[in-house]
Structures are given as C-alpha cells and as structure tokens.
Amino acid sequence: MNPAGRNPRRAGAGFRALALLAALACAAGHAQAAPRLRLDSTGLQPDEVAASERLLAEAVARLTPAMRTALDREIRVQWSPRLDARVHGRAIDDRLLLNRNLLSGLVASHGAGEGDGDGRAALAALLHELGHFLDRGANGGAMSRDPRLRDLAGWQIRATPGLTGLMGRRRGNDFRERSPDPYELHSPREYVAVNLEHFLLDADYACRRPALYRYFAQRWGAPAVAAAVCADGFAYVDAGDVSAGADAAMATGGRLGTLDPERIYQVDYLLAEGNDAMMSRWGHSMLRLVICAPGRPRGPDCRLDLEHHRVLSFRAFVGDLQISSWRGLTGRYPSRLFVLPLDQVIDEYTKIELRGLQSVPLRLERAEIATLVERAAQLHWSYDGHYFFLGNNCAVETYKLLRDGVPRLGTADLGGITPTGLARRLQRTGIADGSVLADPARALREGYRFDSLRERFQTLFEVARVRTGLPQREVEDWLAASPQQRRPWLERADLKAAAALLVLEQAARRQQESRFREAFKRRYLQSGGDELGAAAGILRTLLRETAWMSRPADLLEGAGYGLPQAEERTALQAGSAARRERLRDLERQLDQQARSLLSPAQARDREAVDANIEWLGAHLRELHRQAGGLQLN
C-alpha cells in the first residue's frame, strides 16, 4: 500500500527518453524476462491510456534485470476510484491498483514532458506496489522477513532481563527521524516497498542510506539511476560542553564534525567502572573511536592523539541522567547516541564521579570499522529509542550497534544486559583484546586505562592525615564533610599537607557544584518550574536548545532524509556558531540565576568552600615564602 502525503523528490533524468527506450525494447520482443503489466483501460480516455502505458514502460525500465526476472508474470494494472485519498496504490493477488486521483496529474505531466508532481507520484506508487510483489514472490526471498534487513531497518533484537540470550525483536521501529516517508515504519513489508521505491528513483539513495543500498544492490543489482557523489565521511553534531570555562577552545558542543573511517585506527570498548550508586554499579558501556590527528599516518601513535578521539555513548536524554529510577524502568526516557570528546568523558568519570575507565581494542577489519561508523552515523541522525535500565540500557544499545554494524558479530554470544557482562563476553570470544590491561603501568601509559582520581586523592589524603591527624580514614568521608567542618583541620596544615588539601578542596568544590546542579534540576522537573521564577524559563529554554545535540535531526527538519549530504551540511555549519554562542549565553544566565536559588545552607556551603580554597592558597604562599622558596619534598 502506498499512502498519500508523500513528499516526492526530484524526478529521474530523462523520464520520456527512458520510457521510450523501454517501450521500444518491449516492442522488439526483448529476450530478457520481464513483468507483463497489462493496463485495464476500461473507462479511460485515449490520452489517459497513452500516459498510463508510458508510465508502465517507465516503471519496467527502472527495474533491474534481476527484478524483471523475479516479476516474470502478468500483473493487471487498474486506476481505482475507490481507494482512499491517502492511499496511492495497493497490490492484491495479481492486480495492482493505482489511485485514480493521480491520473489527471500524470496526463498533465506527460503532456508537458515532465516527470515532476503527480507524474513522479504515480511512478513512485507503481514501483512501491511492484516492491510488494517482489517481496511476496518466491524469487524475492521475502526481504521483509530477512533478519539482516530487519536489523538495518530498525526492527532490532531485544534482550530479556535475567537471560543471556536474545528473545525476539522489538515490535516498533525507533528509527523515526529523517525518514523519506514515515509510512515505512508501519511494518517491515511497507519498509521494503518504500525503500525499493527510493532505491530505484533517488540518485543519492546510496549516500543517504548506504547500508540499505548495498543490501538491495547485492540482491537485485544496481539501479539504472545515475549515482550521486556522496559527501566525504559521516557528519555528526558534537555533544561536548558548550562552555569550557576559560579555555574556549575546549568547548566543542554544537559543532558539526565529520567521522572519516580512513582516519580511525581502532575502535575500543570503553567501560566506565562501577561505583556504589544504584544506576552506576554495573558500569557504563561506550565505544571509543581512536582517530588519528590530521597528517598522521594510521598506526599505534594515533592512540596518543587524545584530543581527536571521540566516544559513542548511549544515554537517556532528559537533561539529567539520574532523575527517576522508575522512569528508567518504564522506558520514559529517550535513548539516543551522543558523540562526545574523549577528554570530556575522561574528566566526567575520573575527576567528578571518581570512576576508572578501561579502553580495550576490538579486533575489527578495516571494512568493519567503516560499516560500524556508518551504522553509528545512521543511529545519530535517525534513532530515538526508549531507555530501560534493564532491557534497553547502554550495554544492550552498544551490543546492538556492534551487531548491526559488524554483521559477523551477530553469531557471537554477546547478548547481555550489563556493561561489565558485555566486556567479559567481548574478551571471552576474542573480539576484544583484554591483554592490554595485564600490565597496569603500561595500560596507563598507553591509554588503555584511565585511573579514577580516587586513588590519587586517597594518596594526597594520607599525606594530610599523617601530618595533621585528620579523623577520617577514607578520602570520600573527608570530601563528604561540610567545608565548615574541614576548615579547622586546614589551619593545622604544614606546607606539604596544605598542598595536598588544596587539591582535595578543589575536588570538593567540583562535587558540590555537581550536587547543586542535580538539586536544581530536580526542583525544576518536580515542580514544573513554578518555584524557580526566572531561572525556570532559562532552564526550559536551555534544555530545549540543547536537545538538538542529542537529536540533530531537528536541525534539518524537512530537508532530505538519512545521512546529511553537502547542501545540508553547509546549512548546519552556517548556523553552528550562532547556536553555540546562544547556548553559552543561556549557561551564563542560568548560573547567575541558580546562585540566587540556593538554600541558605547551600549558599553557606558554597561560600565556605570558596573561602577554604582562597585561604589555603594564601596559606601555601606564606609557607612557601617562609621556607625560602624551597620545593616541596
């Protein structure tokens, strides 16, 4: 079935010429098998018959030779006045119905020698219905039931909590963004028909949906339409920080970037180790793209180019990851693929959350790296899933990306629902090279592991504890104490202890700011912003404005489909700087408003920790002066 409201793209070049060639070939008794499209001319005027016959010839000319062979049968084509206005066509047994409403436009476009408007719509409808015949036929192999097609299309496998196996597929298709026709999401059968129609008509289909193009071309051969020149690499919107404090060069959020598979040396499974928090105890699954700096040959030295590496991370986007456990269990959070700078991910986990990172290389061929990155780009621009802490969390999403992007991994026993479990399975099956972690010092030196600052903080804390007699034994307990409780102990510090405590006090301030932001967002989401005054409006705008970093398709609404090509990238790039500056301004406004909304206790704690840092700095300078400028030892 072919619904109306389609948004037809440009017509193929040489509409009349191709139709004439096809008609001549048929008239000459071409030996190749072909569908026999017999027009039911009952009630049609001569000009309608002529336009219809040319339409049928054009459709046959668009089919690949393998398609013509598979459709070697008689199909009766009728213009039906009974089809709903929203339905362009229908395939029933050996009859192919087209909506009569398209006929007048077809005649007009035929008379004008054009293939636009309803002429294009009628051709698309006819090819769509022939796609259904192909899918149903024995020679077509029921594409809509092919597991590989369903993987590519978005009817993905699903994991069942408590089991390591995979149980069935998701009923819905969450690849709803940047679709050429939303009707493709109705069912796998309609997905096949819609995409075959675009495969045969669109010159840039191979650029916009490259994996599907390869699937259809391998099965049916390349279409006759001339292929477009694809834009280089795969575009993405960087989801890094919008404002990185004084170092504006580190503020990558909102920039349009390009992933070039030729510059990617390796892909690592990146695991953020767990902690005691309920949502974090099993870790977090990500993929690290080891991207070589411009001009550097692809090789091991690329692992040193950390500023160029990017991380693919599935996260639940609500402007906050830890708001509601219940919403996470019921799938009320959107699950989207973020592309983040590695430097930011390292800071986020090792400095703020005090969690280590393991970065284990995956044994992938060059072609597999390319198809994996291609699949990631498709997810980035099209996927808007549902995040379940148990059934569709970061580990399940990462596994599906690996499985769909690297087909041979579909046969490996990798299914599971925890990040640490996926890490073990990747290593046990030999897909991940866990040997890089065997020598801890080498792993740190070569970037296979990034230690949590917890160990360093504990070492600094031990220095201060021994020299000042601090009552706590663990650094977490020291940081959890109020800044007012810490102050008397700071004043006992000698030169070496004061230097250690200054680093810890700065860490305490980072954790404090994170807690304040968390509390502020909770108040906003729980109250609807009613109690936050002007800050609510700023936060509401900020969340809306930053949403496109996780859902970049919003930036190209109504422009093309699939992977963005050259013109769309130019449009994205043109508005990037203005969007990023607006986000920075909103961040500054929000920071000013948030300070005024701190509770009296929070405000006192903020002032106290700032005072502690300022006092320790002055105290260190004085102790250093008294020591005659000697170095610490």
Side-chain angles (χ1 to χ4, degrees), residues 184-244:
E184 68 176 348
L185 307 180
H186 180 75
S187 71
R189 292 188 300 275
E190 294 301 340
Y191 192 94
V192 165
V194 167
N195 279 271
L196 279 178
E197 155 197 341
H198 286 273
F199 171 74
L200 295 170
L201 288 176
D202 290 358
D204 53 357
Y205 185 80
C207 306
R208 296 182 175 279
R209 288 192 162 175
L212 284 164
Y213 178 89
R214 291 193 300 272
Y215 175 90
F216 290 129
Q218 182 178 11
R219 182 171 289 243
W220 299 112
V225 62
V229 177
C230 301
D232 293 335
F234 303 105
Y236 70 94
V237 174
D238 197 302
D241 285 334
V242 177
S243 176

Side-chain angles (χ1 to χ4, degrees), residues 413-570:
D413 181 19
L414 300 177
I417 61 171
T418 68
T420 52
L422 178 56
R424 287 193 299 269
R425 287 169 181 264
L426 285 168
Q427 293 185 42
R428 188 176 65 230
T429 55
I431 297 166
D433 181 11
S435 67
V436 298
L437 302 175
D439 182 343
R442 176 176 175 264
L444 285 173
R445 185 173 63 252
E446 298 183 3
Y448 296 111
R449 178 175 173 80
F450 302 92
D451 263 353
S452 161
L453 290 187
R454 194 270 172 197
E455 289 79 7
R456 302 183 202 177
F457 288 167
Q458 183 66 31
T459 299
L460 291 172
F461 177 73
E462 288 295 335
V463 170
R465 188 173 72 85
V466 169
R467 301 178 82 95
T468 61
L470 301 179
Q472 295 87 353
R473 302 195 65 83
E474 303 293 334
V475 67
E476 291 87 352
D477 297 329
W478 170 256
L479 295 175
S482 71
Q484 294 88 346
Q485 291 172 323
R486 294 193 297 266
R487 180 57 178 265
W489 299 97
L490 303 183
E491 294 175 355
R492 299 185 183 187
D494 60 11
L495 185 60
K496 195 168 185 178
L501 290 171
L502 177 59
V503 174
L504 295 179
E505 203 66 17
Q506 291 168 338
R509 180 166 64 179
R510 285 196 298 269
Q511 292 185 355
Q512 182 190 73
E513 289 174 351
S514 179
R515 289 195 301 272
F516 287 169
R517 281 179 173 266
E518 173 79 9
F520 181 62
K521 291 175 184 176
R522 284 181 183 274
R523 288 175 63 187
Y524 169 77
L525 293 176
Q526 290 171 0
S527 70
D530 294 340
E531 62 179 74
L532 301 182
I538 298 171
L539 181 56
R540 189 177 298 113
T541 303
L542 184 62
L543 290 173
R544 184 176 64 249
E545 294 281 339
T546 55
W548 51 261
M549 284 197 277
S550 73
R551 194 176 181 178
D554 288 350
L555 297 172
L556 291 172
E557 188 173 358
Y561 65 92
L563 301 179
Q565 295 305 299
E567 291 184 5
E568 295 151 297
R569 295 189 192 187
T570 300

Side-chain angles (χ1 to χ4, degrees), residues 75-344:
I75 300 173
R76 187 157 54 101
V77 180
Q78 296 175 282
W79 291 101
S80 173
R82 296 186 178 87
L83 292 180
D84 187 279
R86 297 170 298 176
V87 178
H88 280 186
R90 181 163 292 159
I92 305 173
D93 297 327
D94 287 335
R95 290 189 301 151
L96 193 158
L97 306 182
L98 294 175
N99 195 310
R100 177 102 188 206
N101 293 333
L102 298 176
L103 183 54
S104 59
L106 175 66
V107 171
S109 64
H110 167 61
E114 299 172 355
D116 293 328
D118 282 344
R120 164 70 186 221
L123 178 59
L126 180 52
L127 292 174
H128 181 105
E129 302 310 324
L130 289 175
H132 282 307
F133 280 106
L134 284 169
D135 188 35
R136 295 173 188 171
N139 293 333
M143 292 172 284
S144 60
R145 294 199 296 272
D146 182 353
R148 180 57 181 162
L149 186 281
R150 292 197 176 195
D151 288 339
L152 295 174
W155 277 274
Q156 298 175 297
I157 50 86
R158 56 186 173 87
T160 300
L163 300 177
T164 57
L166 300 170
M167 300 293 290
R169 291 181 178 271
R170 298 187 64 82
R171 293 183 179 178
N173 187 331
D174 290 326
F175 286 66
R176 58 178 64 93
E177 305 295 335
R178 298 213 18 105
S179 169
D181 182 353
Y183 192 62
E184 68 176 348
L185 307 180
H186 180 75
S187 71
R189 292 188 300 275
E190 294 301 340
Y191 192 94
V192 165
V194 167
N195 279 271
L196 279 178
E197 155 197 341
H198 286 273
F199 171 74
L200 295 170
L201 288 176
D202 290 358
D204 53 357
Y205 185 80
C207 306
R208 296 182 175 279
R209 288 192 162 175
L212 284 164
Y213 178 89
R214 291 193 300 272
Y215 175 90
F216 290 129
Q218 182 178 11
R219 182 171 289 243
W220 299 112
V225 62
V229 177
C230 301
D232 293 335
F234 303 105
Y236 70 94
V237 174
D238 197 302
D241 285 334
V242 177
S243 176
D247 189 358
M250 295 293 291
T252 61
R255 289 179 180 169
L256 183 69
T258 303
L259 296 175
D260 179 2
E262 289 301 310
R263 286 181 53 204
I264 299 176
Y265 169 60
Q266 283 180 322
V267 178
D268 290 7
Y269 180 72
L270 186 63
L271 173 67
E273 296 169 348
N275 59 19
D276 292 334
M278 184 180 75
M279 304 305 171
S280 307
R281 63 184 58 182
W282 293 287
H284 182 67
S285 291
M286 297 167 280
L287 295 178
R288 171 188 176 187
L289 305 181
V290 180
I291 302 175
C292 305
R296 186 192 294 277
R298 204 170 55 229
D301 287 348
C302 295
R303 298 197 68 89
L304 304 176
D305 299 328
L306 299 187
E307 69 273 20
H308 296 282
H309 297 185
R310 288 297 179 266
V311 173
L312 307 177
S313 177
F314 287 95
R315 300 186 176 196
F317 179 80
V318 290
D320 193 301
L321 303 184
Q322 307 289 342
I323 293 291
S324 165
S325 303
W326 174 249
R327 289 182 181 180
L329 290 170
T330 58
R332 291 179 60 190
Y333 289 160
S335 177
R336 296 172 187 161
L337 180 60
F338 290 72
V339 184
L340 297 157
L342 176 65
D343 289 340
Q344 179 179 321

